[in-house]
Amino acid sequence: MTSPMIQKDIVSACKIETVKAILDELNGDYFALLVDESFDVSRKEQMAIVFRYIDRMGFVMERLIDIVHVEDTSASSLKEAIFNLLAQHSLSPSSVRGQCYDGASNMQGEINGLKMLIRRESKSAHSIHCFAHQLQLTLVGVSKKCVEVGKLVVLISNIFNVLGSSFKRMDNLRDSQKSTIQVALDMGELTTDRGLNQQLGLSRACDTRWGSHYKSFNNFIIMFGSILEVLESLALDARSMDERAKAMGHLEACQTFEIAFMLHLMRDVLAITNELNKCLQKKEQDIANAMLLVEVAKRRFSLRSRRKLANYTILHHYRVEVFCNIIDWQLQELNDRFDEVTTDLLHGIACLNPINSFSSFDIRKVMRMAELYPDDFDESNMSILENQLASYIVDVRDVDERFSDLNGLCDLSKRLVQTKKHSNYPLVFRLVKLALLLPVATASVERAFSAMKFIKNDLRSQMSDDFFSGCLVPYLEKDVFDKISNDVIIKTFQDMKPRRIQL
């Protein structure tokens, strides 16, 4: 048991059984692919592959199947790695019914991108550009149009780099923040409770990390006094003239009206989309509800139209050229990036949504959606589906009261299985599953990359790819791994190769 080779074999056995349990949940049904790449601590490019599927109870599941090292990140190489993994588990590419990637050209390319290569194998493998990624890019789009936003992002990034480059400066920042909180508590301005008034860190913004800009701006405002205190100290005590000059420049910039105004404006603007960000990261989020949430964000920006502004007492430049423009640009970016709502596919999914007693149901739009899945609905199935839809909507909307309190497609799928109606209307249930298979965001892939930092860190930077994958899959899918008995793992370990002794 102390042998490294034996330990690695046991880890491999744990991974094998975890993946086997996941595939047992899948039960040979359709699934969607969520794929992304990231560098590990040793600068190796790792590709995480997550399956999204509907289990036997009608629940939406997203499970990490494997993380694979890829030397080449071209679309053809990624496709080969994915297809090799599918073949390894006796799965066919024709079973893929959805794809979700970021906006990289090797993923989303319209000619030779990964999504098109997979669609050549499965015409029904419709692709969705990660909603959360698109949402974050709206700020990037606005910052490229508005000089004031760009200046704010650069300034905060530079200040965080200056303060975060030294442990002493970080300690000074924490001490200052602690003192500020203690004074506020003593004066009764803050209350104590579990999870309240915790010390904040420097949250670095990233163009592709969800909600990071909102958190960055919010923390900067809360820690503003402490940040100024450390910058003042640095401007007086820094050893080099270069560091003193930078600190003084940042200190002066922070205390201008423009920066204060832009900080609060962008925090309020991003607060509107931050709630959408949080919702998109839920594993069971369905695309119909996601589009409704996007529409809510658009409506909130529309309510702040320039033609409805009150008489502000600030300068015309900030009222019109900054405030109004940023709101309009943010709304325009949301409209441009979330234009999928116009497609027949998403119109059909919206019609299946059970919210408000199936008020959006439209049999013609649902039938047009079914036509986009030629591998699942041939001519004979289409006529049967139309008849099933007519009976189904009368049943669930007018007859069976158990379907009156549903909040989305996820609830609908579970209720159909609970009431056994999935066997009464199998083609309708198939459509519901296909709608749920379309991923909203690559949240599960991002969770894998977060876990990757715990498994493969600076002290274990040279671990092999197989050992790394063997550790990561059971770690991330703990709920599946916990249900696997030790006897099953021991048997898999024994069967891997001849052993001198039996465990």
Side-chain angles (χ1 to χ4, degrees), residues 407-426:
N407 294 316
L409 290 172
C410 294
D411 287 351
L412 176 60
S413 173
K414 299 172 195 174
R415 195 63 53 86
L416 285 170
V417 174
Q418 291 169 0
T419 58
K420 309 297 183 183
K421 291 189 187 294
H422 68 299
S423 57
N424 296 339
Y425 310 108

Side-chain angles (χ1 to χ4, degrees), residues 47-63:
M47 177 174 66
I49 303 173
V50 171
F51 282 6
R52 180 182 173 96
Y53 58 92
I54 314 300
D55 69 5
R56 291 181 175 88
M57 301 303 296
F59 286 78
V60 180
M61 310 300 295
E62 288 185 1
R63 301 290 192 187

Side-chain angles (χ1 to χ4, degrees), residues 69 75 192 326 364:
H69 169 54
T192 57
I326 286 176
R364 291 174 299 173

Side-chain angles (χ1 to χ4, degrees), residues 137-241:
L137 290 177
T138 60
L139 176 65
V140 179
V142 171
S143 64
K144 290 178 179 178
K145 295 178 181 178
C146 182
V147 175
E148 287 82 2
V149 176
K151 285 168 60 179
L152 177 66
V153 172
V154 171
L155 175 65
I156 291 179
S157 177
N158 289 339
I159 291 175
F160 282 1
N161 286 337
V162 169
L163 299 183
S165 62
S166 164
F167 288 115
K168 182 180 179 181
R169 295 171 196 170
M170 292 297 295
D171 288 340
N172 291 340
L173 184 66
R174 278 191 287 267
D175 291 341
S176 176
Q177 184 190 358
K178 183 178 179 181
S179 300
T180 302
I181 292 175
Q182 188 60 52
V183 170
L185 289 172
D186 293 341
M187 296 178 64
E189 296 178 358
L190 294 177
T191 58
T192 57
D193 199 356
R194 183 176 181 179
L196 290 180
N197 307 316
Q198 297 180 358
Q199 290 189 2
L200 302 175
L202 299 180
S203 179
R204 298 175 187 274
C206 173
D207 287 350
T208 57
R209 191 173 300 139
W210 311 332
S212 62
H213 285 281
Y214 171 76
K215 187 176 180 181
S216 178
F217 295 154
N218 192 52
N219 286 5
F220 196 92
I221 292 173
I222 295 173
M223 301 170 63
F224 189 75
S226 299
I227 290 172
L228 291 186
E229 186 175 322
V230 176
L231 285 176
E232 288 174 352
S233 175
L234 187 60
L236 293 173
D237 303 331
R239 295 181 179 179
S240 69
M241 184 59 67

Side-chain angles (χ1 to χ4, degrees), residues 285-477:
Q285 188 61 260
D286 63 73
I287 200 165
N289 276 352
M291 291 309 303
L292 291 176
L293 292 170
V294 171
E295 189 60 32
V296 169
K298 291 180 181 179
R299 293 282 182 89
R300 290 190 65 187
F301 282 118
S302 298
L303 293 175
R304 296 167 179 260
S305 165
R306 66 176 65 191
R307 291 177 177 82
K308 296 181 181 179
L309 283 174
N311 292 323
Y312 286 87
T313 59
I314 59 176
L315 297 174
H316 175 82
H317 167 72
Y318 291 103
R319 182 169 62 87
V320 177
E321 296 180 6
V322 177
F323 178 82
C324 294
N325 278 345
I326 286 176
I327 296 295
D328 290 345
W329 283 332
Q330 190 79 21
L331 180 59
Q332 181 183 336
E333 287 290 330
L334 284 173
N335 287 328
D336 290 345
R337 295 186 181 278
F338 291 94
D339 58 350
E340 293 99 333
V341 72
T342 61
T343 66
D344 288 339
L345 180 60
L346 295 195
H347 274 311
I349 293 173
C351 292
L352 288 172
N353 200 338
I355 289 179
N356 296 327
S357 299
F358 301 86
S359 59
S360 300
F361 186 82
D362 187 323
I363 195 168
R364 291 174 299 173
K365 291 180 180 179
V366 175
M367 292 299 294
R368 282 201 294 271
M369 170 194 167
E371 292 173 0
L372 298 174
Y373 290 94
D375 297 331
D376 302 284
F377 299 97
D378 54 23
E379 291 184 8
S380 61
N381 277 343
M382 289 296 285
S383 60
I384 298 173
L385 172 63
E386 187 171 11
N387 185 57
Q388 283 191 12
L389 283 169
S391 300
Y392 156 82
I393 192 60
V394 173
D395 188 351
V396 298
R397 185 169 60 189
D398 303 329
V399 177
D400 198 332
E401 294 182 355
R402 291 174 293 180
F403 288 81
S404 61
D405 60 343
L406 303 181
N407 294 316
L409 290 172
C410 294
D411 287 351
L412 176 60
S413 173
K414 299 172 195 174
R415 195 63 53 86
L416 285 170
V417 174
Q418 291 169 0
T419 58
K420 309 297 183 183
K421 291 189 187 294
H422 68 299
S423 57
N424 296 339
Y425 310 108
L427 295 182
V428 177
F429 184 59
R430 185 185 301 178
L431 262 183
V432 172
K433 289 199 297 183
L434 291 172
L436 284 171
L437 284 179
L438 286 177
V440 173
T442 56
S444 296
V445 181
E446 298 296 335
R447 291 187 185 98
F449 292 148
S450 297
M452 180 171 70
K453 298 174 184 177
F454 291 99
I455 302 297
K456 192 172 185 179
N457 53 35
D458 291 330
L459 297 177
R460 295 185 294 209
S461 61
Q462 299 303 313
M463 65 193 307
S464 67
D465 294 328
D466 289 341
F467 186 43
F468 170 52
S469 175
C471 292
L472 184 62
V473 173
Y475 174 79
L476 198 65
E477 304 299 344

